[in-house]
Structure formats: C-alpha cells, structure tokens
Amino acid sequence: MKTTFLKSGSISNMFEQMQNFFGGVSSEQTGEFHLKINNDFGQGVIKGIALKGGISYIDFDIIFNEDVCVSLKTPDTSPIYFTYCTQGQYSHSFGKDGERQTLEKYQTGILASKNNEENNLYFDKDQALKTVLIVVNTTGPKSNEEMDLNYMLRHTFLKNENVSYLYVGSYNLKIADVVKQLDAITQKGLVRNLLTEGYVHMILGLEIQQHTDDLANRNKNKSSLSEREMDAITQLSDFIEANPEKPMSIKYLCRKTGLSPRKLQEGFKMMHDTTVTDYIRDVRVKKAEYLIKNTDLNISEVVYSIGITSRSYFSKIFKQKYDCCPKHYKDQYNTIAATA
C-alpha cells in the first residue's frame, strides 16, 4: 500500500503534495484546483476549492491501480471532515493502528480527530471511486457568521479535543442528487464559485441533518432499500429528467426498475422528499419553463413536448409553481429579453 501524507489545511498546498505523490497534471482556475492522473497510480481527477468561512471541498473521481492511503493531519486547524460516497467505498481509521470503519456507497460520514492524530482514508485498487470531502476548519475566534458556524460544529462533533469522533451514518440519496447537480455546473469564474459554494453548503446541511435524524431514530430502520435498489432510484430519476415527455405510470416504472410500488415510493421519498407522481410533474413543469424561455414553441407545443395532454391542467400546475400562467410568463420574459 502506498501512503501520501497531507499535512496542510491549505487547498493549494494539499494539491501540491498530492501532485508530488501521484504525479499527473495540475491546474488552477479562479481558485479551483484540478489534478488529472493517468499513470501507474491510476486514472481520474481530483478536484478541490477553498470557500469562505474556512470550508474546503475536495472531490475524488478516480480508479487507483494499487491500494492507496491518504493520511490527513492538520494540527494547526483542527478540521472536521464531512464525507459522502456516490460510487465505490473506502475505509477510515484514526492513526495507522486504529480500527478501520468502512464508508459504503450513499453513506454519510463525519470525522473529527483529536490533536495531532491522523485521519487515514484507505482506497482499494481497481475500484471506481467517487467521493466528496468537505473540510471545515473549526479553529479561530467567533468574529463573524462563518466562524460562528465553525465554532458550533466543533462544539457539536469535537467537544473533547482529546477524544476522536467518528460517525458513519445512514444511506442518503438526497446528497447524491446534490452532488450530481454540483458536477453539472457549466458556468465559469465567479458564478461557478458561487454555485459551488451553495451546493457544498447544501451537502453540509444534509450531512448534519442526517446525523441529527440518526440520533433521533437509533432503534428505527430508516430505509429498507438495498444498494441495488438505491442505484435503480438514482438511474430512474435521471431517466425521468431526460425523458419527461414519455408516459410514466407507476406500473411502467416498476417494470423498468424491477421495484415494487412500495420500494419505488420509498426511494423517491428518500431522494427527493416527494412522491413519484409529484416528482414527474415537477420535472415536466421545469422543462416547460425552460422551453418557454429558450425556444419559439407556443404554449400548446410546449405542453405536447412534455407529455401532458391537457392544456388547462398544465396551466394549473404551472401557475402553482411559478405563480403565473404560462402565457403571461412567456410574454413577461419576452418583454424583458427585448429590453435587455
């Protein structure tokens, strides 16, 4: 097993240390670092960005060709690590001799080590891995809103600096959906950084909420879904987004996924906090809003293109979401576009 030691809380220093160890091609643009690896170590990309308030975000999307340990030790910043795996799995230990705990696909994890103790992350060879790591620096004075957040996190997850804290939580499909949206950002520069920051804060909030829910439901089974079934829900969500015009009865979706109606509804509640029917309707309305703004289709053509047969029904659900009828929305947008 190869081990790389990351001994700095600075994103730029961490990526410099990783490049020295893994090789690859490193680049930076508007504060976002990319390390592309295609060599004997593996193939993939590691991304990272420093955000305000002492928060950093690192994304591993890689296949290692040999077992790798990434050892994190930042004694000057006492960070808390919030982690989530969307593909593959990996394990963690405090120090090289500590007990290893496995973090599986769709699981949340919170890691906080006592002073001068390493957080070791173990990645298996020949495994497609995609995992995110949010690093929160919890030291510093309570001088502003961001540091107040960090101060509260430290006193929640690391009350005793001499005792490490590890939490491996329940499966959470909502975070997988947010990670997908984060990966889909196409904007550049400041807009990209602002959107990234928003999604990272959303992931952080969902991790903390999952921790709270797990503590409140220690003796309850939060989900009966297997990993295969959760994969099916994720893939089905992508299918619905890509094909909103297709007829999608519950019976059809059950046949497509091999899931029972109960499992199907449980998965959509878990991932999207809504029913299957409501999710399909929301996707269709959002697609209609996009078509109204970005194409020359009239309202009837828009309705047809998203798989809805009743224009009056479409007008009703569109107004519920956007507080405006479709024609008025189109007229207002065209007026704004003409004067821009």
Side-chain angles (χ1 to χ4, degrees):
M1 176 177 290
K2 300 288 188 178
T3 301
T4 178
F5 296 93
L6 305 183
K7 299 182 179 181
S8 173
S10 162
I11 281 289
S12 59
N13 290 341
M14 290 175 72
F15 270 76
E16 181 180 352
Q17 292 166 8
M18 284 192 288
Q19 185 183 26
N20 290 337
F21 182 77
F22 292 123
V25 179
S26 181
S27 62
E28 182 270 332
Q29 188 173 17
T30 61
E32 184 174 344
F33 292 82
H34 285 217
L35 178 60
K36 295 182 180 180
I37 300 171
N38 186 12
N39 53 33
D40 291 341
F41 259 114
Q43 299 79 40
V45 180
I46 305 173
K47 297 185 292 185
I49 186 171
L51 306 170
K52 67 180 182 180
I55 297 174
S56 300
Y57 174 81
I58 303 173
D59 178 293
F60 292 85
D61 189 355
I62 195 166
I63 300 175
F64 289 113
N65 295 332
E66 54 186 301
D67 294 337
V68 170
C69 172
V70 176
S71 182
L72 305 163
K73 184 177 180 181
T74 54
D76 296 331
T77 57
S78 301
I80 298 175
Y81 301 93
F82 295 82
T83 183
Y84 183 79
C85 199
T86 56
Q87 187 173 7
Q89 65 178 37
Y90 65 94
S91 57
H92 166 273
S93 75
F94 292 115
K96 65 179 182 179
D97 298 322
E99 180 184 357
R100 291 195 190 183
Q101 296 279 348
T102 298
L103 188 102
E104 298 180 346
K105 186 176 183 180
Y106 301 129
Q107 275 189 299
T108 57
I110 301 174
L111 323 169
S113 59
K114 62 186 180 183
N115 289 342
N116 295 315
E117 186 171 52
E118 301 96 344
N119 278 286
N120 291 334
L121 309 179
Y122 302 95
F123 304 135
D124 295 334
K125 68 176 182 179
D126 300 331
Q127 175 185 237
L129 174 75
K130 181 168 176 57
T131 188
V132 300
L133 196 65
I134 300 174
V135 187
V136 181
N137 172 17
T138 59
T139 59
K142 292 178 61 179
S143 58
N144 54 48
E145 184 179 350
E146 290 82 17
M147 292 312 297
D148 282 348
L149 167 65
N150 299 358
Y151 177 86
M152 288 187 289
L153 289 177
R154 182 170 185 79
H155 281 260
T156 299
F157 299 111
L158 197 57
K159 296 178 182 179
N160 186 341
E161 295 183 357
N162 297 313
V163 179
S164 297
Y165 180 82
L166 171 66
Y167 153 82
V168 177
S170 299
Y171 297 99
N172 189 312
L173 288 178
K174 292 185 179 73
I175 298 178
D177 193 42
V178 177
V179 172
K180 183 180 72 174
Q181 294 176 63
L182 197 159
D183 289 340
I185 295 174
T186 57
Q187 291 85 350
K188 305 294 183 183
L190 177 61
V191 174
R192 179 179 181 84
N193 288 0
L194 289 172
L195 290 172
T196 298
E197 185 171 32
Y199 284 126
V200 169
H201 277 87
M202 194 178 300
I203 294 170
L204 184 59
L206 288 170
E207 286 251 20
I208 296 170
Q209 185 61 56
Q210 184 68 67
H211 175 268
T212 302
D213 292 345
D214 282 350
L215 291 182
N217 297 279
R218 284 179 176 175
N219 299 320
K220 298 179 182 179
N221 187 1
K222 292 284 289 180
S223 173
S224 63
L225 298 177
S226 67
E227 182 178 311
R228 185 202 71 79
E229 290 164 341
M230 287 187 281
D231 282 341
I233 295 297
T234 301
Q235 293 164 12
L236 183 60
S237 299
D238 293 341
F239 174 79
I240 293 170
E241 284 191 17
N243 304 277
E245 76 286 352
K246 289 184 177 294
M248 297 189 195
S249 66
I250 297 296
K251 185 176 181 180
Y252 166 76
L253 297 177
C254 287
R255 283 202 314 270
K256 184 173 181 62
T257 59
L259 300 179
S260 67
R262 182 183 67 81
K263 293 276 190 177
L264 197 68
Q265 296 292 359
E266 181 182 352
F268 272 77
K269 179 66 175 177
M270 185 179 180
M271 185 170 194
H272 304 293
D273 201 26
T274 189
T275 66
V276 179
T277 300
D278 286 349
Y279 178 78
I280 294 170
R281 182 176 62 205
D282 190 58
V283 167
R284 286 173 168 170
V285 172
K286 287 180 180 177
K287 178 65 179 292
E289 190 262 351
Y290 173 85
L291 293 174
I292 287 172
K293 290 199 306 185
N294 296 282
T295 72
D296 294 328
L297 297 177
N298 61 43
I299 301 301
S300 295
E301 291 169 329
V302 168
V303 173
Y304 176 78
S305 67
I306 61 169
I308 293 179
T309 57
S310 169
R311 179 165 172 169
S312 60
Y313 171 70
F314 169 71
S315 296
K316 177 184 176 181
I317 61 176
F318 188 94
K319 189 172 183 178
Q320 286 175 345
K321 185 169 184 64
Y322 295 104
D323 198 28
C324 180
C325 70
K327 187 177 184 308
H328 189 204
Y329 188 93
K330 185 177 182 69
D331 291 342
Q332 281 188 321
Y333 183 81
N334 288 341
T335 300
I336 294 171
T339 57

